[in-house]
Amino acid sequence: MPLWLAEQDVRAVLSLPELIGAMESALVAFSTGKVAQPVRTAIEVHDRSFFASMPAYERPAFDGAHGILGAKLVTVFPENAARGLHSHLAAISLFDAETGELTAVMDGRYITELRTAAASAVSARHLAREDAAILAILGSGVQARSHLAALPLVRPFREIRAWSPTPEHLREFAAAPASPVRPAGSAADAVRGADVVLIATSAVTPAIDNAWVADGAHVIAIGACRPSQREIDPALVARAALFVDSRAAAVKESGDVIPHGAEHIRAELGEVVCGRKPGRRSAAEVTLYKSLGLAIEDLTAAALVYRRALEQGRGLTVNL
């Protein structure tokens, strides 16, 4: 019988340090051909809102470990903020890769939140300069908070700046207990001189200007996941060494990448992690990681949650 795991169960067993390592493995598996995964199928519901299906299968490893099989169903409704709801909501189903039996159904919202930040941390670990000391965050919502927890695990930032288009949210973000965040007066003030820059807004037009970004910076862009949307100044995309999680997805889904073509993509992040493709080539080079999110990231995180939940006796067994 499958295990039902609510968000509170997922939160109780999922840790960022372990998840960052799991995302490295998932990205490598994807980029080395061990994963069967189509580009996500999305149905536009209304303006900026969509429903998407994200299935994937990772073949079993030679060491006898089971494969991973399942799917995430996700909705993105930006107007939910006005309703007091999360804009991204999801459910993940896991299946036994040998028998096809349903093994678990779990909340996918928190997994989406945390695995996005963990994958961004992987990009910073492999693409940011070793001496990166200043982090700039554009945004003050769920993803800004998860990245604030994840990115300092891979680089010891001495200064963290943030800007948000919603001033009251920025004040709350910076005023949280033990928060290391210094509010910036503008997006430009936050970005100028930063070594790592995170774009974590809901913008569908560029939220960052090329002129603000210093040589040697690493920029992480995690939003604007539809062909009609952009969050990055096109001049910055052209200037930077561009890395993506999936070439196939980037040239189909990302309005930031499509105009520049597949040939502008230097590598998938998984190719850099496993050493197949070069990452940063100089201290002065600007690197840009455009994250769209992979189904195998969600399922790898979900499989980790499932294992830890079984170990700790969490969740509810249900008979469908």
Side-chain angles (χ1 to χ4, degrees), residues 53-251:
S53 172
M54 300 172 65
Y57 167 56
E58 182 180 346
R59 297 169 183 85
F62 291 114
D63 62 6
H66 285 192
I68 299 174
L69 177 65
K72 180 173 82 168
L73 299 179
V74 58
T75 58
V76 178
F77 281 59
E79 65 272 23
N80 274 0
R83 302 179 176 124
L85 298 172
H86 288 287
S87 61
H88 292 60
L89 298 168
I92 297 174
S93 296
L94 287 179
F95 297 82
D96 187 296
E98 292 185 359
T99 68
E101 293 175 288
L102 180 66
T103 58
V105 178
M106 68 187 72
D107 170 75
R109 191 212 65 78
Y110 186 65
I111 285 177
T112 302
E113 173 187 333
L114 223 61
R115 66 82 162 142
T116 303
S120 294
V122 173
S123 84
R125 173 179 284 168
H126 292 273
L127 297 173
R129 298 193 327 271
E130 291 286 344
D131 63 350
I134 301 174
L135 170 63
I137 298 174
L138 302 185
S140 57
V142 165
Q143 284 298 341
R145 295 172 191 275
S146 64
H147 281 73
L148 179 60
L151 292 173
L153 295 176
V154 297
R155 288 292 183 275
F157 299 108
R158 60 174 170 78
E159 182 181 353
I160 300 175
R161 312 167 186 161
W163 174 85
S164 171
T166 311
E168 59 269 28
H169 292 174
L170 178 60
R171 285 193 293 270
E172 292 172 6
F173 184 40
S179 173
V181 173
R182 178 176 68 79
S186 67
D189 289 343
V191 171
R192 287 193 177 103
D195 303 308
V196 176
V197 180
L198 169 70
I199 308 171
T201 71
S202 58
V204 294
T205 56
I208 189 171
D209 191 289
N210 178 50
W212 305 341
V213 179
D215 288 346
H218 175 54
V219 180
I220 303 166
I222 63 169
C225 61
R226 306 301 297 144
S228 60
Q229 301 173 352
R230 291 184 179 181
E231 61 182 346
I232 313 164
D233 180 353
L236 177 57
V237 182
R239 171 189 174 196
L242 176 62
F243 300 85
V244 298
D245 42 20
S246 163
R247 281 188 186 83
V251 299

Side-chain angles (χ1 to χ4, degrees), residues 3 137 177 190-191 207 255-256 266 284 308 318:
L3 192 65
I137 298 174
V191 171
D256 289 308
R266 177 175 295 178
R308 297 292 175 260
V318 295

Side-chain angles (χ1 to χ4, degrees), residues 20 23 27 114-124 269 289 291 297:
I20 291 171
M23 290 303 96
L27 287 158
L114 223 61
R115 66 82 162 142
T116 303
S120 294
V122 173
S123 84
L269 181 56
Y289 175 54
S291 170
E297 293 174 343

